[in-house]
């Protein structure tokens, strides 16, 4: 009988757009480490308090913001990788801070919490990455990975490897099965949709090199935050004036609404310049009550609050036909009712792009849909009904398996770290 492999001082880190995890592979124990109380996920959120130097993370950060503490909330920082903003600064507590330092601060906290839970230091790690940080630009995609590696080294990690997130999810699924399968992994995260067609099975699991098992990988820069944005623009922003007219007959400029509907640009709506432009638009607006709602939202710095309401409505509509949003914070006594059909219409074009990406993946692999044994769904947004229906329609004979929507990637990265660094 072969001896059980000893745990190595290497972890798997899934730095996600919306949620992050860290895992450490040990015989007979779950891989994921508790990061916030007993929770295995840490929402990828930072809140910088204005009154003092205190910084909060994850659910605590969201709670501090929603409780009305003065400060700066930042979320979806991963979405900046591969963009020009990664070379820029932003104002935090009255000083200019590079975005790279903000990512290093969050990943460093994630690493510290993992080490505290494991009772040991980690200097080696496998980091998850999307199949494409940047669509259709290989050099920009490589720069994004290089930037993430540089940031990870600032946190004390010395030996770093990368693994595609859907492949990591496949490794987690592989640890749960007893026979060989051809699996299509569908990973719909906060910022990207990633896919891998891979052969998995108990006899393959111990191999150090898995390149020959991977038939194809692909992805597109569409994820749950894009669904949130589309739903917000379709259902909420018109209440604040999007699509309304100025007295001249021209349509209201859309940039303030797009900033407020996009997680990592919400803070741009709070600048002095943006406020001055908003006052000018209010003077020229034909429908002033809608602009007054928008002014109230910006004055209260409630953009993140509204984005959270939209996100929660999207999640609710994944399991119900109707969701309600209480917008009393910016419009006293008002509630917005949303229907599943509205979500479907809002995200239809995005889901079509995801569907087309999966179709191309099967063509590139030279595999017919009937050859696929299992479609394995992971990622927090893979439960969106329209998306799941469209993907499963491409593989009607395959078995549908739902993994740990927030934990499969982190657990798979921990398994990969065990293999790579043992």
């Amino acid at each position: 009988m072969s001896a059980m492999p000893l745990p190595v001082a290497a972890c798997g880190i899934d730095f996600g757009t919306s949620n992050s995890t860290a895992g450490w592979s040990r015989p007979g124990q779950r891989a994921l480490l508790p990061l916030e109380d007993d929770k295995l996920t840490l929402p990828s959120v930072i809140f910088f308090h204005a009154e003092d130097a205190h910084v909060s993370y994850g659910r605590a950060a969201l709670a501090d913001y929603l409780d009305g503490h003065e400060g700066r909330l930042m979320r979806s920082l991963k979405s900046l990788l591969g963009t020009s903003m990664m070379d820029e600064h932003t104002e935090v507590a009255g000083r200019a801070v590079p975005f790279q330092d903000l990512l290093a601060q969050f990943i460093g906290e994630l690493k510290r919490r993992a080490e505290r839970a494991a009772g040991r230091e980690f200097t080696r790690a496998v980091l998850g990455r999307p199949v494409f940080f940047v669509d259709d630009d290989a050099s920009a995609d490589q720069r994004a990975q290089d930037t993430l590696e540089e940031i990870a080294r600032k946190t004390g990690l010395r030996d770093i490897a990368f693994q595609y997130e859907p492949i990591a999810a496949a490794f987690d699924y592989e640890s749960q099965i007893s026979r060989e399968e051809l699996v299509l992994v569908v990973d719909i995260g906060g910022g990207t949709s990633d896919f891998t067609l891979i052969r998995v099975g108990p006899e393959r699991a111990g191999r150090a090199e898995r390149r020959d098992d991977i038939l194809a990988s692909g992805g597109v820069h569409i994820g749950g935050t894009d669904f949130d944005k589309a739903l917000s623009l379709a259902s909420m922003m018109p209440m604040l004036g999007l699509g309304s007219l100025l007295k001249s007959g021209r349509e209201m400029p859309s940039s303030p609404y797009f900033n407020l509907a996009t997680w990592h640009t919400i803070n741009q709506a709070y600048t002095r310049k943006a406020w001055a432009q908003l006052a000018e638009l209010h003077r020229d607006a034909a429908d002033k009550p809608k602009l007054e709602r928008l002014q109230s939202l910006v004055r209260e710095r409630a953009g993140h609050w509204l984005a959270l309401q939209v996100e929660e409505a999207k999640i609710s509509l994944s399991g119900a036909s109707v969701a309600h949003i209480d917008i009393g914070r910016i419009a006293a006594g008002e509630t917005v009712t949303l229907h599943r059909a509205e979500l479907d219409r809002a995200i239809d074009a995005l889901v079509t792009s995801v569907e087309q990406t999966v179709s191309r993946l099967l063509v590139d692999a030279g595999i017919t849909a009937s050859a696929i044994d299992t479609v394995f769904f992971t990622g927090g947004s893979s439960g969106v009904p329209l998306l799941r229906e469209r993907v499963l329609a491409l593989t009607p004979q395959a078995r549908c398996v739902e993994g740990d929507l927030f934990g499969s990637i982190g657990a798979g990265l921990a398994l990969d770290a065990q293999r790579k660094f043992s």
Side-chain angles (χ1 to χ4, degrees):
M1 181 181 295
S2 60
M4 294 287 283
L6 294 174
V8 297
C11 65
I13 293 177
D14 176 23
F15 168 48
T17 301
S18 300
N19 291 278
S20 296
T21 63
W24 180 33
S25 184
R26 296 150 293 164
Q29 298 186 56
R30 67 183 182 188
L32 292 184
L33 296 163
L35 299 174
E36 190 171 16
D37 298 324
D38 60 343
K39 305 292 195 303
L40 302 179
T41 60
L42 181 68
S44 304
V45 186
I46 310 178
F47 185 73
F48 296 91
H49 289 251
E51 312 92 50
D52 50 36
H54 177 58
V55 180
S56 50
Y57 300 86
R59 294 170 186 82
L62 289 170
D64 287 346
Y65 168 75
L66 293 173
D67 286 345
H69 291 275
E70 288 292 321
R72 175 88 184 265
L73 184 76
M74 304 197 75
R75 190 183 181 192
S76 297
L77 288 169
K78 184 181 179 181
S79 297
L80 301 177
L81 288 165
T83 73
S84 59
M85 290 182 70
M86 279 307 303
D87 298 321
E88 298 176 6
H89 295 64
T90 187
E91 184 178 327
V92 176
R95 59 190 180 91
V97 179
F99 278 111
Q100 288 198 27
D101 288 357
L102 294 176
L103 267 71
Q105 185 165 346
F106 180 82
I107 294 173
E109 178 67 17
L110 178 63
K111 176 176 176 287
R112 283 189 293 274
R113 292 185 182 212
E115 289 172 333
R116 193 158 58 239
R120 68 185 306 163
E121 181 184 13
F122 292 118
T123 59
R124 296 180 288 178
V126 175
L127 271 62
R129 58 149 293 169
V131 175
F132 298 117
F133 281 109
V134 183
D135 295 339
D136 303 319
D137 190 335
S139 60
D141 185 82
Q142 185 60 50
R143 283 197 301 275
Q145 178 175 301
D146 292 344
T147 300
L148 181 55
E149 182 173 351
E150 180 183 341
I151 289 168
R153 291 192 186 283
K154 291 179 181 177
T155 71
L157 290 170
R158 294 197 296 269
D159 298 320
I160 298 169
F162 285 91
Q163 182 58 269
Y164 290 144
E165 289 157 358
I167 294 177
F171 292 157
D172 179 49
Y173 176 64
E174 184 176 57
S175 70
Q176 305 165 37
I177 61 176
S178 58
R179 63 181 179 86
E180 185 169 306
E181 297 181 19
L182 178 58
V183 178
L184 171 63
V185 179
V186 178
D187 169 26
I188 314 296
T192 59
S193 295
D194 296 297
F195 315 97
T196 285
L197 194 59
I198 182 171
R199 296 191 189 281
V200 297
E203 293 184 2
R204 297 174 183 269
R207 298 176 185 173
E209 178 53 63
R210 300 298 299 273
R211 191 173 304 168
D212 292 342
D213 295 337
I214 302 164
L215 279 65
S217 291
V220 62
H221 212 263
I222 292 171
T225 56
D226 298 289
F227 297 157
D228 297 342
K229 177 179 178 179
L231 182 60
S232 181
L233 290 171
S235 62
M236 301 305 299
M237 293 303 157
M239 298 185 60
L240 306 179
L242 178 63
S244 64
L245 300 178
L246 300 170
K247 291 176 182 176
S248 65
R250 291 186 297 112
E251 195 168 285
M252 187 70 62
S254 62
S255 57
Y257 304 101
F258 275 78
N259 281 340
L260 285 166
T262 307
W263 273 106
H264 62 271
T265 60
I266 289 173
N267 286 300
Q268 294 180 20
Y270 303 149
T271 65
R272 285 195 184 93
K273 180 180 178 181
W275 179 255
Q277 290 173 337
L278 195 55
E280 186 176 337
L281 289 173
H282 178 260
R283 286 194 296 271
D284 295 339
D287 191 341
K288 290 189 183 299
K290 289 183 178 179
L291 266 292
E292 286 162 5
R293 284 180 186 152
L294 178 59
Q295 286 182 312
S296 174
L297 180 81
V298 174
R299 186 184 303 110
E300 295 293 321
R301 290 179 171 257
H304 292 91
W305 166 82
L306 183 61
L308 284 167
Q309 309 312 305
V310 172
E311 181 184 34
E312 288 177 8
K314 176 199 69 178
I315 294 169
S316 295
L317 290 171
S318 292
S321 59
V322 179
H324 304 283
I325 299 179
D326 181 355
I327 60 168
R329 183 168 174 177
I330 57 171
E334 291 195 39
T335 299
V336 178
T337 299
L338 298 178
H339 295 84
R340 170 84 63 78
E342 293 175 76
L343 173 63
D344 289 349
R345 284 195 298 272
I347 67 174
D348 181 73
L350 297 170
V351 171
T352 297
S353 293
V354 171
E355 182 184 15
Q356 291 170 345
T357 304
V358 175
S359 295
R360 284 195 299 270
L361 182 80
L362 300 184
V363 172
D364 291 345
I367 292 293
T368 61
S370 60
I372 298 172
D373 298 303
T374 302
V375 179
F376 181 74
F377 287 99
T378 189
S381 293
S382 68
V384 171
L386 181 66
L387 183 142
R388 190 168 289 203
E389 290 166 12
R390 294 271 191 89
V391 171
L392 289 174
L394 297 173
T395 58
Q397 297 176 35
R399 181 168 78 107
C400 173
V401 175
E402 181 176 286
D404 181 340
L405 297 188
F406 298 101
S408 286
I409 292 170
L413 291 170
L415 287 169
D416 204 29
Q418 172 75 25
R419 274 197 291 261
K420 282 184 164 67
F421 293 114
S422 62

